[in-house]
Structures are given as structure tokens and as C-alpha cells.
Amino acid sequence: MSVPGTPERVLSGMRPTGRLHLGHYHGVLKNWVELQNEYESFFFVADWHALTTHYETRIDVSENVWEMVIDWLAAGVDPGRATLFIQSRIPEHAELNLLLSMITPLSWLERVPTYKDQQEKLNERDLSTHGFLGYPLLQSADILIYRASGVPVGEDQVPHVELTREIARRFNYLYGREPDYEERAEAAIVKMGKKAAKLYRKLRQAYTEQGDESSLDRARALLNDQQNITLGDKERLYGFLEGGGRIILPEPDALLTKASRLPGLDGQKMSKSYNNTILMRDDADRIESKLRSMPTDPARMRRTDPGDPEKCPVWSLHQIYTGSDVHDWVVAGCKSASIGCIDCKQPLIDEVLKEQRDIHQRAVPYTEDPTLVKKLIADGCERAQEVAEDTMDEVREVMGLNYS
Ligand code: TRP
Ligand code: SF4
């Protein structure tokens, strides 16, 4: 759900893990590149989030951050379209995190599935910290401070967006009710003009009394079309529809990103911890040698032994990179041993290298002149901060903190 009258905005963050690999490219970044053309997009480096699990080791955040941003740009994320920034440069995130922590029941955080999972998985680290428990709340602050309507994330992050919705609802419930909000809503209805006011009342009644969802949708659409009332009044009437007050922090939706089907060099999921990656900016020789030494169906000990593509990780990569003609050729050639594995890998290598050339080319200006990256991030931070400040002004005000 978005604030009426504002364009749909998507926001997503990534922890600075250093250089990204083709799994990130196919799983996340290509999606961002599509989204930036359709929505107002905010993408940021979640550097504070990295500290929640790596607070002891003093990781080199800085190198990880800049290399990762270059990978985003190399993927085609366009700083002219999307706003790119770094979490820790917008201290308002921390302020909202703190204020939201006042209204967040501990039990909500304890029941987030990643909390227990990660504690068990990373059991060599001591994760019984306030910061780690608060990880998803910080994420909620990241999202709510930009009033994002959509949050592109993988499946594992959906519970965090769910929590964000609950926090927003609670916040709006607690602070969205002005003391005289019914009178204000009535006054706002009148400002829409006779016809629209009548329709709004009718639709609101149908929704609040009969729970008719389509009336709710129509009423929202009606509000969206109103040109002669202020944004504040729109928000008020939006909230009034559901019997609540003003919506200060809109509830975001998760935009589920399909899991990347791209397997690693050993056929498992591509991941740094499995040491089976091709980096987005590996050079051509390295990519070629990684692919050439990739294991194949173990049944093909000798060139003359037939194999089965279903038992071969190379075949999984063919699924992503080559077309059906090549697939037919692989299946027939592998099963009859009429082609060798080296032959089989060649069209795959060609396609991966083709993809790499574009990625490399887009990175060149930034690797040659790193100040470009710093500059575009500085610009992005400035834009992001303006939006964050607007939200915080309202949040401080409704929480009674805007006093002199
Ligand atoms: N937790 C996310 C991850 O690990 C990163 C993240 C932090 C994020 N803040 C966010 C993602 C806000 C989306 C929106 O992938
Ligand atoms: Fe794998 Fe291709 Fe070799 Fe068959 S021919 S085992 S599919 S690399």
C-alpha cells in the first residue's frame, strides 16, 4: 500500500559482503535493473546490518562497500534512475530504529524465524546481543523511513517485511489518531466537493459495515484522483476508510524475488562459503579456467564413456545460458559419447564470456575513476536523506518530540 498521490517506490538493501558473483547477478541485480525502470527505486548498502553478525572481527567494511557498489553498476543499476546510498550515512535510520523500539514487543522480535536459525547456524559467534535481536527492526526502519510500497527480497527475508507491516500498523494505530481526528476527517471529506464526498461516504460505509473489499479499493482510487485536497488530508481519509487514523508509515509489500536457479561450479547453490563461485568481475581467463575445470558426470571417466546430463553440474549452467538447439546437441552427444565434455562446455563458455564483456564494460569508468562512485553515492545519500528527514519530521511530531 502506498501513500496516495506519491509514485510507487521500491527499496532494497544488501549487506556489504564484498565482490558479488553470478548468483547475485541472476538472482537479485537483474531484478533491480528491471525495477528501476518501473518504480522510483532506492537501493542501499546495509553496512550497519553487517556489524550485527561481524562485530568482533573488524571486517574491512570500506573495501567491501565500494566493490559491491561497482558490481551493482556493472550489472546495469543506473544512478540516473535509482537512488544509491549507504545506510550509515543516513543516521535518521538509527533514530527511527530507536523510536520504533519503544513500541516493539520483544516477543515479535524473538519469533522472527531468522533469529533462532542464524543463532544456531552461526553458533561459533556470540549472537545473544541486543543488536542481533534488533536486526529486523533496523530493517523495518530502513523500509519505513522511505515509505516504500514494495520491497524486493528473497524468500528468507519475507518474515522481516511481515514484521515491518506489523510495526507500521501499530505505529499508525498509536500515533495516527489525532485527538480530533473524526472532525478533521469530516472537514477533509467536504473539501473534496459534493459528488466525491457523497461517493466516499457511501464506499466507506459499504466497507466498514459490510466489509466490502471492492468498495475499499474504489474509495482508495477515488482518493488517488483527488487533486484539490492536500496530501495530509489524503492520508487522513485513507486511514479513516479503515476506521483508523492517519497513515504515517504505510505498510510495504514484499516483492518476492524468485530464487536464482544459477548453480555453483559444483552444482550446489552458488555461494562464497562453498567456494564455487564465478565472480561478476572475474577476468575472462579465470572464468574460462573455472569452467574448464568444472566437474562433470563422474561416469565419463574417459572420452568414450557415455554420460547423463542430469548428473552433471555443467548441464545446470546450460539451462541458464544456452538455447534449446544446444541442449538437444548436449543430450544426444553426452549419452552417445559422441562429444567430449570439453566440447560440451565450449558454447557455455562462449555465452558466459559474452555476458561478462557487458558487465566489465559497464564497470570500466568506475574502476578507472573511483571518485565517480564516491560522488554518485554522495548524491544518492543527499537525496535519500531528504526523504528520510521528511518522514522523521512527521514521526517526531506525532510522537510529541517536535517541541521547542
Ligand atoms: N536483511 C537484508 C539481507 O540480509 C538486507 C537488508 C537490510 C534489507 N535492510 C533492508 C533488505 C531493507 C530490504 C530492505 O538481505
Ligand atoms: Fe556434462 Fe556435457 Fe560432459 Fe555430459 S558431455 S557429462 S553434460 S559436460
Side-chain angles (χ1 to χ4, degrees), residues 1 4 181 185 189 192 199-209 211-213 215-224 233-247:
M1 193 161 71
Y181 103 98
I189 294 174
M192 286 195 290
L199 182 58
Y200 177 88
R201 287 206 175 90
K202 195 182 111 202
L203 294 169
R204 175 169 183 267
Q205 194 178 16
Y207 177 67
T208 50
E209 289 175 14
D212 178 22
E213 292 279 343
S215 297
L216 178 63
D217 291 343
R218 283 179 58 205
R220 284 180 178 156
L222 173 74
L223 287 175
N224 265 325
D233 274 342
K234 261 190 200 185
E235 288 174 351
R236 194 166 282 123
L237 292 181
Y238 222 67
F240 192 52
L241 279 175
E242 292 171 275
R246 203 151 56 102
I247 290 170

Side-chain angles (χ1 to χ4, degrees), residues 340-400:
C341 293
I342 311 239
D343 306 320
C344 177
K345 286 174 176 179
Q346 194 54 52
L348 176 67
I349 293 172
D350 293 343
E351 288 304 316
V352 177
L353 289 180
K354 199 153 95 195
E355 178 180 84
Q356 289 304 303
R357 274 194 291 275
D358 292 338
I359 292 178
H360 272 271
Q361 219 153 42
R362 282 188 294 254
V364 168
Y366 303 108
T367 48
E368 281 182 353
D369 182 4
T371 64
L372 283 180
V373 187
K374 308 234 157 149
K375 168 116 192 12
L376 71 88
I377 288 289
D379 289 349
C381 289
E382 203 175 306
R383 257 183 291 163
Q385 189 153 32
E386 275 173 31
V387 179
E389 253 312 302
D390 276 355
T391 307
M392 287 317 296
D393 270 346
E394 252 188 278
V395 166
R396 291 182 201 118
E397 159 133 30
V398 298
M399 291 185 85

Side-chain angles (χ1 to χ4, degrees), residues 135-284:
Y135 182 109
L137 185 63
L138 180 57
Q139 184 164 351
S140 300
D142 297 336
I143 297 168
L144 296 174
I145 206 163
Y146 299 103
R147 295 165 149 140
S149 47
V151 186
V153 285
E155 196 152 17
D156 62 316
Q157 297 290 312
V158 171
H160 295 175
V161 181
E162 241 350 278
L163 175 77
T164 307
R165 296 170 62 86
E166 282 167 26
I167 306 265
R169 214 172 299 145
R170 184 162 165 80
F171 185 91
N172 295 327
Y173 176 75
L174 292 170
Y175 301 110
R177 276 166 207 267
E178 304 145 295
D180 46 357
Y181 103 98
E182 296 221 11
E183 290 95 279
R184 283 174 184 246
E186 281 302 329
I189 294 174
V190 172
K191 283 186 211 152
M192 286 195 290
K194 248 199 170 133
K195 220 173 111 196
K198 192 169 160 203
L199 182 58
Y200 177 88
R201 287 206 175 90
K202 195 182 111 202
L203 294 169
R204 175 169 183 267
Q205 194 178 16
Y207 177 67
T208 50
E209 289 175 14
Q210 285 122 45
D212 178 22
E213 292 279 343
S214 73
S215 297
L216 178 63
D217 291 343
R218 283 179 58 205
R220 284 180 178 156
L222 173 74
L223 287 175
N224 265 325
D225 291 341
Q226 296 306 306
Q227 320 265 294
N228 47 352
I229 59 173
T230 63
L231 187 57
D233 274 342
K234 261 190 200 185
E235 288 174 351
R236 194 166 282 123
L237 292 181
Y238 222 67
F240 192 52
L241 279 175
E242 292 171 275
R246 203 151 56 102
I247 290 170
I248 299 148
L249 302 174
E251 288 177 41
D253 288 315
L255 305 176
L256 190 62
T257 320
K258 292 183 274 356
S260 166
R261 291 178 302 129
L262 191 88
L265 292 168
D266 55 1
Q268 296 187 81
K269 179 183 149 84
M270 189 177 279
S271 157
K272 190 159 140 187
S273 46
Y274 298 150
N275 206 2
N276 63 357
T277 63
I278 297 177
L279 297 182
M280 284 178 63
R281 285 183 288 132
D282 266 345
D283 60 41

Side-chain angles (χ1 to χ4, degrees), residues 9-34:
R9 182 181 287 154
V10 303
L11 168 126
S12 199
M14 208 187 270
R15 295 156 55 110
T17 47
R19 293 194 167 222
L20 303 181
H21 52 65
L22 292 181
H24 297 114
Y25 177 62
H26 285 271
V28 182
L29 293 175
K30 277 166 78 174
N31 186 237
W32 285 12
V33 170
E34 276 176 38

